[in-house]
């Protein structure tokens, strides 16, 4: 049996994976403490609460969490329904946090994690020391922990517009003015609809979030009062049949429908795609904004820019512990090849657990979206399996920890931009494909606005 008399396991983040970790630890007789900087459970989820998930409740409820919830009188939502982020937080995450009681500490920001009395350089006695978790304010509290599970996610650190991983020239100033945003707009909000209606918006990105924004802008364009609403879809690579995901063949139907909705936005002329475009600057052009690429191309003026180029982990508060991270993805070294977006979608990720999530710093784990670093292929059920395995390992049950069983739905729109410098699979430039031998702007869809160059021979994607 595990030792329950010492310090607790510190879980950073009261989101879906952090709360599931606490539930699994409790089942194993291990006391957790969940440190959440927000004022409610699922604070980050609530920030995109207007977005509907493409997973059903069946994939969004962790088994250990459900076992903890059922004695409280909690009623499981219908398995086949697709909740919004807000519904996920209200109907599942907040009740789960309530069941954990005072083990969840709100308004608590973690500012550092270290071995007690040891910085990252010191070897002597390191493994025998508990962790010290530093909390804001800087001269404030700290707690001891026998292990640390960092499930703080990546939502707070979106990638910038600049294609080299840094903000493009002019980006910071325009973001401060509100002309550039990094979240999917809430088009159900009348005030937001009024801002975007009738204007031209650049949507930068090629994943589910970008598809959601494109579909929302197309819906706005079709609605009363939305005439003239247009999107300029900026991609760092070309377009192929796989760009829009699995469509009708997707084993997560709502995910496939999202890709089809984005494609409809293009086919109907509500969006025009600019491919092979790596942004280096944003310039003012009268009242509008123009994106400039590294090859000198310029977009037409737009009114605002929505940057949805992925997320990255915040590792600043882990600077005094020893992490083993892949040099490209910033994911654990053993996990990175299994989730590399150059090779995998979220449905082709190999099941993994504590062995792939371990670091040189024993009993320190990144879990959930944060464990994926910059890879965009994460699904909630993957995180639930991760923390089940971690909890089993911390309890000394290595057989269970290494018996990782997980079947993920295949295909989908969760691919990243890791291949933006090369043609995507299927981009041959032949009929039916959308590849071009060099980056160029592509006009798509009936009624698409005229642009400065034309599509490659053979047309593109159903046009």
């Amino acid at each position: 049996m595990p030792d329950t008399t010492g310090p607790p396991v510190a879980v950073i983040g009261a989101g879906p994976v952090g709360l599931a970790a606490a539930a699994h630890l409790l089942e194993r007789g291990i006391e957790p403490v969940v440190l959440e900087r927000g004022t409610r459970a699922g604070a980050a989820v609530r920030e995109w609460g207007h977005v509907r998930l493409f997973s059903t409740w069946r994939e969004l409820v962790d088994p250990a969490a459900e076992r903890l919830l059922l004695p409280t009188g909690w009623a499981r939502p219908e398995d086949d329904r697709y909740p919004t982020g807000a519904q996920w937080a209200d109907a599942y995450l907040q009740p789960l946090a309530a069941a954990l009681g005072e083990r969840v500490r709100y308004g608590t920001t973690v500012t550092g994690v270290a071995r007690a009395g040891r910085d990252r350089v010191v070897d002597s006695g390191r493994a025998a020391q508990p962790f010290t978790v530093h909390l804001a304010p800087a001269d404030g509290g700290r707690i001891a922990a026998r292990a640390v599970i960092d499930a703080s996610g990546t939502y707070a650190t979106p990638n910038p517009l600049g294609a080299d991983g840094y903000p493009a020239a002019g980006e910071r100033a325009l973001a401060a003015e509100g002309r550039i945003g990094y979240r999917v707009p809430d088009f159900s909000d009348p005030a937001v609809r009024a801002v975007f209606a009738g204007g031209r918006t650049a949507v930068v990105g090629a994943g589910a979030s970008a598809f959601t924004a494109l579909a929302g802008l197309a819906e706005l364009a079709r609605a009363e009062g939305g005439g003239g609403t247009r999107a300029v879809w900026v991609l760092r690579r070309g377009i192929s049949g796989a760009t829009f995901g699995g469509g009708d063949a997707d084993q997560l139907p709502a995910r496939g429908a999202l890709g089809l909705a984005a494609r409809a936005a293009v086919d109907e002329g509500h969006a025009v795609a600019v491919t092979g475009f790596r942004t280096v600057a944003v310039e003012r052009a009268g009242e509008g904004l123009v994106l400039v690429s590294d090859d000198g191309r310029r977009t037409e003026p737009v009114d605002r820019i929505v940057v949805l180029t992925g997320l990255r982990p915040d590792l600043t508060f882990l600077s005094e512990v020893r992490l083993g991270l892949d040099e490209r993805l910033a994911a654990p070294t053993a996990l990175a090849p299994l989730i590399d977006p150059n090779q995998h979608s979220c449905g082709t990720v190999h099941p993994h657990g504590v062995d792939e999530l371990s670091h040189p710093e024993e009993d320190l784990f990144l879990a959930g979206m944060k464990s994926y670093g910059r890879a965009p292929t994460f699904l909630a059920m993957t995180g639930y399996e991760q923390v089940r395995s971690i909890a089993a390992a911390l309890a000394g049950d290595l057989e269970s920890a290494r018996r990782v069983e997980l079947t993920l739905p295949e295909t989908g729109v969760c691919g990243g931009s890791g291949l933006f410098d090369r043609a995507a699979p299927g981009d041959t430039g032949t009929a039916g494909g959308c590849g071009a031998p060099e980056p160029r702007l592509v006009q798509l869809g009936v009624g698409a606005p005229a642009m400065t160059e034309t599509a490659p021979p053979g047309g593109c994607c159903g046009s």
Side-chain angles (χ1 to χ4, degrees), residues 279-297:
T279 305
V280 296
V282 187
E283 298 178 355
R284 299 178 191 272
E287 296 298 317
L289 306 175
V290 171
L291 286 74
V292 182
S293 74
D294 62 353
D295 60 5
R297 287 181 299 150

Side-chain angles (χ1 to χ4, degrees), residues 22-64:
H24 281 278
L25 290 166
L26 276 180
E27 276 199 337
R28 292 284 185 170
I30 301 172
E31 191 66 20
V33 57
V34 182
L35 308 171
E36 168 57 50
R37 67 180 175 182
T39 59
R40 294 185 293 172
V45 172
R46 294 177 188 278
E47 290 192 38
W48 49 269
H50 57 287
V51 177
R52 190 168 300 279
L53 287 89
F54 51 61
S55 296
T56 64
W57 277 110
R58 181 180 292 107
E59 290 92 30
L60 296 173
V61 175
D62 173 76

Side-chain angles (χ1 to χ4, degrees), residues 241-267:
T243 297
F244 296 98
D248 293 334
D250 198 317
Q251 292 182 24
L252 289 178
R255 185 175 61 189
L258 177 60
L260 293 175
R263 180 166 181 166
V266 171
D267 289 346

Side-chain angles (χ1 to χ4, degrees), residues 234-460:
V234 179
L235 301 96
R236 295 173 181 172
R237 60 179 176 182
I239 297 178
S240 74
T243 297
F244 296 98
D248 293 334
D250 198 317
Q251 292 182 24
L252 289 178
R255 185 175 61 189
L258 177 60
L260 293 175
R263 180 166 181 166
V266 171
D267 289 346
E268 294 172 13
H270 301 303
V272 60
V274 183
T275 63
F277 195 98
R278 306 177 189 89
T279 305
V280 296
V282 187
E283 298 178 355
R284 299 178 191 272
E287 296 298 317
L289 306 175
V290 171
L291 286 74
V292 182
S293 74
D294 62 353
D295 60 5
R297 287 181 299 150
R298 304 165 65 88
T299 65
E300 286 191 8
V302 297
D303 299 299
R304 58 197 52 83
I305 302 169
V306 178
V307 181
L308 300 168
T309 53
L311 307 164
R312 61 179 63 181
D314 177 8
L315 301 171
T316 56
F317 61 85
L318 300 176
S319 62
E320 296 305 323
V321 289
R322 298 173 177 179
L323 301 177
L325 298 175
D326 178 74
E327 62 185 10
R328 293 177 304 136
L329 297 182
T333 305
L335 176 60
L338 307 180
I339 62 173
D340 186 345
N342 293 293
Q343 305 294 331
H344 296 282
S345 76
C346 45
T348 62
V349 170
H350 190 277
H352 58 273
V354 67
D355 288 341
E356 292 82 5
L357 297 168
S358 293
H359 292 273
E361 198 75 71
E362 187 177 353
D363 293 337
L364 172 72
F365 305 95
L366 308 185
M369 188 67 207
K370 190 163 186 176
S371 72
Y372 273 43
R374 299 194 186 194
T377 49
F378 180 78
L379 292 174
M381 63 184 86
T382 305
Y384 296 158
E385 178 61 16
Q386 287 179 342
V387 294
R388 183 207 64 79
S389 177
I390 291 170
L394 291 175
D397 186 355
L398 295 181
E399 179 183 357
S400 177
R402 289 168 174 154
R403 190 177 63 248
V404 182
E405 299 176 0
L406 180 64
T407 301
L408 293 172
E410 294 182 357
T411 72
V413 297
C414 51
S417 58
L419 292 176
F420 73 82
D421 278 324
R422 303 207 311 266
D427 287 354
T428 62
T430 58
C434 300
E438 59 184 20
R440 65 178 68 183
L441 185 146
V442 181
Q443 179 175 318
L444 299 169
V446 176
M451 302 295 278
T452 58
E453 296 182 52
T454 60
C460 188

